[in-house]
Amino acid sequence: MLKALIVDDEPNHRFGLAKHVNWNGLGYDSPLLAEDADEALFLTGNNRIDVLIADVCMPGMDGIELVKEMRVRYPDIHVLIISGYEEFEFARAAVEAGAKAYLLKPLKIEEVENWLKKFRNEIKMAEKLAKADLAMKKKLSKNLSIAQEKFLEDLLEDAYDEDTVIQRAELLDLPRDNFAFRLCLISIDDYRRLIEREPKTGPTLIYRLIKMVHTAFNTSFKIVVKKGLNSLVILLGENLVSVSFLESSFNVLKKSIEDKLGISVTICISSKGYGWEQVPAVYSECYRLLNAYQCYEKGQIILCEKAKYSEPYYKYDIEKVSEKAREYINEMDHENLNSLILRVFSHFISTKKCPLSLMQSLSLSVAGVLSQKFEAPGFQIAKSYTEYCRDIISCLTAEELRDVTLEAVADYFSAFENYKTRKKSDVIEQASKYIRENLQEDTIVKELADIVHMNASYLSVLFKKEMGITISEYVNNLRIEKAKRLLKQGYKVFDIARQVGYKNPSYFAYQFKKSVGLTPAEYRRYG
């Protein structure tokens, strides 16, 4: 039961409230009564007070001072101030001092009870949330490091809004305020060739690296997460380690990795960041720099603060080629697109000056534009966009990359010609239109069947027959394509997930990577 204290120098008001308010029915014990502030403060010495009802004008200490003092003793206390019309400004000052509400005399019992009911509900909700937080903390205490790693993984994908970040950080016993940090990236050099040479050993390397990092940095504020098959991201509190200490420590770690694992790694130490909201940007800066250096000379330790990186001339050439390729695709000019790809690859193969990774970025760009251009219900290709992305990333030579790119172009243009000759029934057109217009909803086959007035089982069969894919595959494809557009427009992952019908941003990120082959953050940067 909750406890209330009534403070009023007029006995009729004091005893009237105590008598006529349905205290027990509202979840309160019988209230304590005091005729002035001094008596009220004395009574609070041995009693927990949830609600204070006080007159604003009393002899001695007035209601405003009493509210301030009670707020010191009970920060969460709910206060209802009573005043006359002529004391309105005085009452407002009391509200500013910490009172939650005020009522004007003469009092109406139902108004007082309404406020007491509102206070009770707020107090119970606060208690419920506090218990839930405590239960969650106890549950997480066993696997706190795992939860912190998941938090950082999602943060790198920009999957949280600002309020959620603060709540999660507090729940996971991480700093909330504008703390200083550095991110460190470790990437295994030539990983693809390494696992081809030692297929059994390759996948375990990243986990052995994680153990070595934990041994090398014995600090209380440290989060280590795996990114892909060959990279680690390490977050360290800057107040615990200086950049010179990091550089020295990573030199020792790098030498140990070479000696014990027999592999080369490239390491990048970020500029200093402040607060969780800066983590994605700091990571992007560090990631770009590491990849740029890794193209030319592997096995380095890079400091973002000292690194000087100017993009080579062919970077701009590739950007121009990408724009020209987009122009040909939009104009449906298959012949000139093929000619452009052959000409560009012939140049780079003969000169041997362009890193394969940049040529792969060109091919990925072409595949991405093709996928967007030919996005349509029922459109089918021999390989999915995701499969082409995987083929492109797996290429080890420029010649292989050229052939895969030409194959993708031919496949998309050929599939589009076939698509134009197909016709959909009115029912399937109506169903697909409804899905497109209601992507945010969790549409199920039965609901869709009711809309088009058809048996659910028959609708599923007919949809697959005419569209070439199942209803769930169709919904997922539309959601992923819309998500791609929103990512390019700069929307946060948290907001995109809701717009395309996913309630859980982490699940959306999982589905996106499963479909596209890249995480949302990677697609935003490189897709």
Side-chain angles (χ1 to χ4, degrees):
M1 300 287 278
L2 302 177
K3 199 70 176 178
L5 170 62
I6 302 172
V7 188
D8 196 320
D9 59 328
E10 296 185 35
N12 289 340
H13 290 163
R14 215 165 50 242
F15 292 110
L17 287 174
K19 179 179 179 181
H20 296 294
V21 170
N22 183 15
W23 296 99
N24 289 337
L26 294 171
Y28 292 81
D29 280 330
S30 298
L32 298 173
L33 306 179
E35 64 178 355
D36 58 27
D38 290 336
E39 184 180 1
L41 293 174
F42 174 77
L43 288 174
T44 61
N46 298 315
N47 294 282
R48 175 183 59 84
I49 305 299
D50 300 294
V51 174
L52 170 66
I53 302 176
D55 192 356
V56 74
C57 287
M58 296 182 294
M61 182 186 293
D62 60 35
I64 295 176
E65 293 302 319
L66 175 61
V67 171
K68 290 179 180 178
E69 182 63 32
M70 292 293 284
R71 294 285 292 175
V72 171
R73 299 189 182 194
Y74 306 100
D76 298 323
I77 194 170
H78 289 60
V79 181
L80 173 61
I81 285 292
I82 302 168
S83 72
Y85 283 101
E86 68 278 6
E87 301 155 354
F88 178 76
E89 292 299 325
F90 205 33
R92 187 165 64 182
V95 172
E96 293 174 356
K100 283 188 172 287
Y102 65 86
L103 290 176
L104 298 175
K105 298 177 182 178
L107 297 178
K108 295 179 181 179
I109 294 300
E110 58 268 24
E111 291 181 348
V112 175
E113 289 183 339
N114 284 338
W115 277 111
L116 288 171
K117 188 184 300 182
K118 179 179 175 62
F119 291 163
R120 178 200 64 198
N121 293 341
E122 290 178 358
I123 292 168
K124 294 301 181 184
M125 179 57 70
E127 289 176 350
K128 184 178 180 180
L129 291 174
K131 287 180 181 179
D133 281 351
L134 181 61
M136 182 63 73
K137 286 181 179 179
K138 288 181 179 179
K139 185 177 180 180
L140 290 174
S141 62
K142 297 179 181 179
N143 297 295
L144 186 59
S145 63
I146 296 175
Q148 289 175 343
E149 290 165 13
K150 182 65 171 63
F151 169 70
L152 181 57
E153 287 175 0
D154 290 343
L155 194 62
L156 293 176
E157 296 295 333
D158 206 14
Y160 297 129
D161 60 19
E162 185 175 344
D163 291 338
T164 304
V165 168
I166 294 173
Q167 292 170 5
R168 293 289 175 90
E170 182 177 17
L171 188 65
L172 295 172
D173 290 333
L174 293 170
R176 286 186 52 190
D177 300 323
N178 199 28
F179 67 97
F181 70 89
R182 288 185 190 271
L183 286 178
C184 308
L185 272 62
I186 302 180
S187 178
I188 301 173
D189 297 326
D190 296 320
Y191 180 76
R192 198 179 301 121
R193 291 182 174 83
L194 183 66
I195 59 174
E196 286 179 352
R197 188 173 69 247
E198 301 179 52
K200 293 183 179 180
T201 305
T204 66
L205 284 175
I206 197 69
Y207 297 103
R208 296 170 70 182
L209 274 180
I210 291 174
K211 289 183 179 180
M212 295 180 74
V213 168
H214 281 294
T215 302
F217 298 97
N218 185 20
T219 171
S220 59
F221 182 23
K222 172 189 68 205
I223 306 177
V224 182
V225 299
K226 181 171 73 75
K227 288 293 287 183
L229 296 174
N230 66 325
S231 297
L232 294 181
V233 180
I234 308 157
L235 184 142
L236 293 165
E238 171 65 11
N239 60 321
L240 300 177
V241 285
S242 65
V243 67
S244 58
F245 171 81
L246 282 176
E247 188 175 14
S248 173
S249 298
F250 274 115
N251 267 308
V252 173
L253 176 62
K254 180 174 171 296
K255 182 66 167 59
S256 179
I257 291 170
E258 291 170 352
D259 293 342
K260 294 181 180 179
L261 303 183
I263 60 173
S264 167
V265 295
T266 298
I267 300 170
C268 186
I269 302 172
S270 78
S271 303
K272 190 184 296 185
Y274 296 92
W276 295 110
E277 66 277 4
Q278 289 192 9
V279 167
V282 171
Y283 168 71
S284 294
E285 174 200 21
C286 200
Y287 183 86
R288 284 195 300 269
L289 198 61
L290 183 144
N291 278 279
Y293 270 72
Q294 210 171 20
C295 285
Y296 307 106
E297 185 180 351
K298 298 175 174 60
Q300 302 181 77
I301 293 181
I302 310 151
L303 300 178
C304 287
E305 292 174 348
K306 299 179 181 179
K308 294 181 179 179
Y309 169 57
S310 58
E311 296 176 306
Y313 74 93
Y314 47 75
K315 173 69 174 178
Y316 300 103
D317 287 347
I318 285 181
E319 289 177 354
K320 291 177 182 177
V321 171
S322 295
E323 286 304 311
K324 196 64 179 175
R326 180 185 296 273
E327 179 183 324
Y328 288 144
I329 293 170
N330 288 333
E331 294 173 355
M332 301 295 292
D333 191 341
H334 188 183
E335 183 178 348
N336 275 327
L337 180 61
N338 264 354
S339 176
L340 175 69
I341 292 170
L342 286 169
R343 190 168 61 252
V344 169
F345 272 90
S346 175
H347 169 72
F348 285 133
I349 290 170
S350 63
T351 59
K352 297 181 180 180
K353 289 184 177 180
C354 182
L356 184 65
S357 60
L358 289 180
M359 296 169 70
Q360 286 172 322
S361 72
L362 170 61
S363 297
L364 288 170
S365 174
V366 170
V369 176
L370 285 167
S371 175
Q372 293 173 11
K373 174 64 178 177
F374 297 120
E375 175 193 350
F379 181 80
Q380 290 180 278
I381 55 175
K383 290 183 181 179
S384 68
Y385 168 69
T386 302
E387 289 175 311
Y388 273 120
C389 287
R390 289 172 182 165
D391 288 348
I392 289 168
I393 293 171
S394 300
C395 289
L396 298 177
T397 67
E399 289 81 3
E400 289 179 36
L401 190 57
R402 175 198 59 204
D403 294 343
V404 169
T405 308
L406 290 172
E407 178 191 347
V409 170
D411 189 6
Y412 272 100
F413 274 89
S414 174
F416 185 71
E417 289 301 316
N418 293 332
Y419 170 76
K420 288 193 299 184
T421 64
R422 297 179 58 212
K423 293 183 179 179
K424 299 186 291 295
S425 68
D426 291 340
V427 170
I428 299 304
E429 179 61 38
Q430 183 184 357
S432 60
K433 180 181 178 183
Y434 178 83
I435 293 171
R436 292 195 300 272
E437 293 175 351
N438 296 273
L439 272 184
Q440 292 184 353
E441 304 299 326
D442 192 13
T443 305
I444 59 177
V445 176
K446 187 178 183 308
E447 292 176 351
L448 202 58
D450 290 340
I451 291 167
V452 298
H453 309 292
M454 181 178 285
N455 176 272
S457 298
Y458 182 65
L459 174 63
S460 297
V461 173
L462 184 62
F463 195 98
K464 176 69 180 293
K465 180 180 178 182
E466 293 199 17
M467 302 292 282
I469 55 177
T470 66
I471 293 174
S472 60
E473 289 171 337
Y474 178 73
V475 171
N476 184 65
N477 290 346
L478 287 180
R479 285 175 169 173
I480 295 301
E481 292 306 320
K482 182 175 180 180
K484 290 179 186 176
R485 294 194 297 271
L486 294 175
L487 282 166
K488 290 300 183 182
Q489 293 170 21
Y491 285 84
K492 285 184 172 292
V493 172
F494 180 86
D495 295 325
I496 293 173
R498 289 186 297 181
Q499 289 193 47
V500 298
Y502 291 94
K503 296 178 181 179
N504 187 323
S506 298
Y507 183 67
F508 160 67
Y510 166 77
Q511 287 292 344
F512 189 92
K513 184 170 183 179
K514 182 179 177 182
S515 298
V516 179
L518 301 169
T519 67
E522 290 169 345
Y523 182 83
R524 193 199 303 276
R525 289 189 293 268
Y526 309 109

